[in-house]
Amino acid sequence: MTMEEARFREAFTVLHASKRLKAMVFAESVGVTKSYVSHTVNETHRPVPVGWFGELCRSYGVSAEWLLTGNGDMLCK
C-alpha cells in the first residue's frame, strides 16, 4: 500500500464516520458496488483506483495536496 492509498483510506474513514460520506453514494459516483468500495477501503492489499482520489477531492472537499503529499490539512477550507 502506498502512502497516498493510506491517506485515501484515512480520509474515507473519517468522512464516513462523520456521516459526510455514504459508501453507497460514493460507490454509485465511481461506478462500482458498495461491496467493492468496502473491500477496497478495508483490505490494504487492494489498490485504490486513481479516479477515486479525484472523487474524494471533488465531492467531499479532501485536499489533493494532502492526499498526494501529506502536507496541509486533510479537508479544504
Side-chain angles (χ1 to χ4, degrees):
M1 170 174 55
T2 67
M3 293 303 297
E4 295 84 1
E5 288 173 323
R7 284 189 289 273
F8 174 92
R9 287 178 170 97
E10 178 183 351
F12 188 98
T13 301
V14 166
L15 291 167
H16 189 262
S18 69
K19 302 196 185 319
R20 290 183 57 191
L21 179 153
K22 294 187 185 281
M24 186 61 164
V25 173
F26 183 85
E28 289 173 356
S29 69
V30 296
V32 298
T33 64
K34 179 183 173 189
S35 174
Y36 187 80
V37 169
S38 295
H39 287 294
T40 301
V41 170
N42 295 315
E43 298 174 15
T44 58
H45 67 277
R46 287 186 182 222
V48 176
V50 70
W52 293 16
F53 288 83
E55 184 63 21
L56 271 189
C57 296
R58 276 188 305 278
S59 298
Y60 299 96
V62 173
S63 165
E65 179 181 5
W66 179 83
L67 270 177
L68 297 175
T69 68
N71 295 327
D73 294 328
M74 178 190 301
L75 299 175
C76 298
K77 297 183 185 205

